[in-house]
Amino acid sequence: MDGLALVILLIALVALALVGTVTGLVVTRRRKPAPLHDTWTDDLGLPPGGEPGTTDLLEPEVLEPEVVEPTAPALEKPEGTASRLVRLRQRLAGSQGGLGRGLLALLSRDRLDEDTWESIEDTLLTADVGVAPTQELVERLRTRLRVDGNEAGDPRTVLREELLTLVDPTMDRRLQVSGEDGKPGVVLVVGVNGAGKTTTVGKIARILVAEERSVVLGAADTFRAAAVEQLATWGERVGVEVVRGPEGTDPASVAFEAVKDGVDRGVDTVIVDTAGRLQNKQGLMDELGKVKRVIEKQAPVTEVLLVLDATTGQNGLIQARVFSEVVDVTGIVLTKLDGSAKGGIVVAVQRELGVPVKLVGLGEGADDLAPFDAGAFVDALLG
């Protein structure tokens, strides 16, 4: 009995020892390990042993925001008038020389019979010179080459002199871009859509900037958003302000604000691009008449330029008649003159309106617009 009691006591002691060991292990695992020497704790404070107000870590670098100044777009330097005239001769000689060469070939024949003179008339009419100017030129050539004979000179000299008379070098082709009494000159640009009107406004601005004149543009063709954006681009390229309004705005109000801005700023010239809708003569008359009236509350209109596509021939003359009845046209701009051998439109439109061709467009380039020079034009016709 004593032996059994001893065995039970030993088993109880072993069980107690095992329970104590397991309990110690559990407590040990739950106990948080002490921080290592000289390392940070999870607290955002000093490292162990650190002095107040000190830290062993580097302060994060604070970078100042970089200020980037906006850079204005580089302004283009428009070409001067002298080099434009040189290119005028070169371009016209390449595209218009066929007319002059054809006439010279006919006039240089040994015998100038009726068939030859009819061929000369056909050549001139094909080049859009017009019926009345063609008849006038043929009669003068007949007189000088058949009646005066050798005294008239060689055919080329005679043809040059008569063509020059027909183009009329005495016309005043200066652009009226200056105002009086301290007010800017106001240029109103009219014409049908598609003739190159808006582009012409931008190119005229380049000519004036090249002459160191200050310019404001008025985007009064408000019915075409593309025209307004196009004009704004032209202005940005040479540093010229463009006054514009929302699409569909009354064109007269935009024109008024453009001229008012020009007056307030004291600029030299304001150029106003107008709507080119040729819906009917009365509507056109009302619209352009209103634009001109409101402009002249600020400053007089000094120039009204009619833009015509030189390749349209008789259609261009019809447009010229309509616009001349609506507004007092003072000058003509012929665009796309380099595209065909129909340079006779210069003569025809001048005769039709009684006003001079002042500018001619010679291509798609930004500076392909030049003052019209009668002598250069005739020389180019003759090749």
Side-chain angles (χ1 to χ4, degrees):
M1 186 67 181
D2 291 335
L4 180 61
L6 181 60
V7 170
I8 293 171
L9 178 62
L10 288 174
I11 292 172
L13 290 173
V14 171
L16 287 173
L18 289 173
V19 171
T21 301
V22 172
T23 304
L25 288 173
V26 171
V27 171
T28 301
R29 287 188 179 181
R30 288 181 180 177
R31 189 177 298 158
K32 186 176 181 181
L36 296 176
H37 180 64
D38 290 337
T39 61
W40 285 93
T41 66
D42 291 340
D43 296 326
L44 298 179
L46 294 174
E51 296 296 328
T54 66
T55 178
D56 293 336
L57 292 183
L58 295 176
E59 291 291 336
E61 183 180 1
V62 179
L63 298 177
E64 292 293 332
E66 184 180 358
V67 178
V68 180
E69 294 292 336
T71 56
L75 298 181
E76 297 179 7
K77 185 177 181 181
E79 191 173 346
T81 300
S83 56
R84 290 171 188 262
L85 287 174
V86 171
R87 196 161 71 256
L88 167 67
R89 293 181 175 90
Q90 294 172 344
R91 292 282 180 88
L92 289 178
S95 62
Q96 306 292 333
L99 170 60
R101 287 191 293 270
L103 290 174
L104 281 174
L106 292 169
L107 292 172
S108 299
R109 289 180 177 178
D110 293 335
R111 181 167 176 268
L112 296 176
D113 55 16
E114 288 302 316
D115 289 340
T116 302
W117 289 112
E118 286 184 9
S119 296
I120 291 173
E121 284 189 1
D122 291 342
T123 301
L124 291 168
L125 291 173
T126 302
D128 286 336
V129 173
V131 175
T134 292
Q135 292 175 343
E136 178 184 320
L137 178 59
V138 168
E139 285 304 314
R140 292 177 65 86
L141 290 172
R142 274 178 180 265
T143 300
R144 294 190 62 178
L145 294 176
R146 292 181 62 181
V147 177
D148 297 343
N150 294 332
E151 297 179 1
D154 66 279
R156 181 185 178 86
T157 300
V158 173
L159 180 58
R160 184 186 188 282
E161 291 173 354
E162 294 303 330
L163 284 173
L164 195 57
T165 299
L166 205 62
V167 175
D168 195 353
T170 65
M171 282 185 161
D172 184 2
R173 302 181 191 276
R174 295 172 296 177
L175 287 177
Q176 304 301 318
V177 293
S178 297
E180 297 179 352
D181 301 326
K183 293 185 177 181
V186 179
V187 180
L188 197 62
V189 181
V190 303
V192 300
N193 292 335
K197 178 172 49 63
T198 301
T199 298
T200 296
V201 173
K203 291 182 177 182
I204 293 173
R206 294 179 68 90
I207 292 176
L208 298 180
V209 169
E211 296 175 354
E212 299 184 349
R213 299 181 65 90
S214 54
V215 180
V216 167
L217 302 180
D221 189 356
T222 58
F223 299 102
R224 291 192 306 139
V228 176
E229 292 300 328
Q230 182 183 8
L231 197 60
T233 301
W234 279 103
E236 289 173 2
R237 291 168 67 177
V238 289
V240 169
E241 181 181 347
V242 178
V243 176
R244 55 196 290 182
E247 185 177 357
T249 303
D250 182 10
S253 67
V254 176
F256 178 86
E257 290 300 325
V259 177
K260 183 178 184 298
D261 184 67
V263 171
D264 293 343
R265 295 176 54 197
V267 303
D268 297 316
T269 310
V270 179
I271 311 173
V272 179
D273 182 23
T274 63
R277 302 175 303 166
L278 193 59
Q279 66 277 35
N280 60 72
K281 189 184 299 184
Q282 187 59 48
L284 182 68
M285 184 178 298
D286 293 343
E287 186 173 288
L288 289 181
K290 180 180 178 182
V291 169
K292 191 169 185 290
R293 284 195 307 275
V294 299
I295 283 177
E296 293 192 324
K297 293 179 181 179
Q298 295 287 334
V301 173
T302 56
E303 184 87 72
V304 179
L305 293 176
L306 171 61
V307 179
L308 295 175
D309 182 339
T311 66
T312 58
Q314 290 300 312
N315 284 336
L317 291 182
I318 294 171
Q319 295 169 19
R321 292 189 196 106
V322 172
F323 278 95
S324 65
E325 293 172 5
V326 169
V327 67
D328 185 18
V329 175
T330 58
I332 302 159
V333 181
L334 281 178
T335 63
K336 308 176 188 178
L337 192 60
D338 65 327
S340 71
K342 296 192 173 185
I345 189 67
V346 171
V347 175
V349 74
Q350 286 188 162
R351 287 293 185 92
E352 179 68 34
L353 301 186
V355 298
V357 172
K358 293 191 173 184
L359 295 166
V360 288
L362 307 171
E364 299 299 325
D367 291 315
D368 287 341
L369 184 72
F372 181 78
D373 180 272
F377 177 70
V378 171
D379 289 338
L381 287 181
L382 295 175

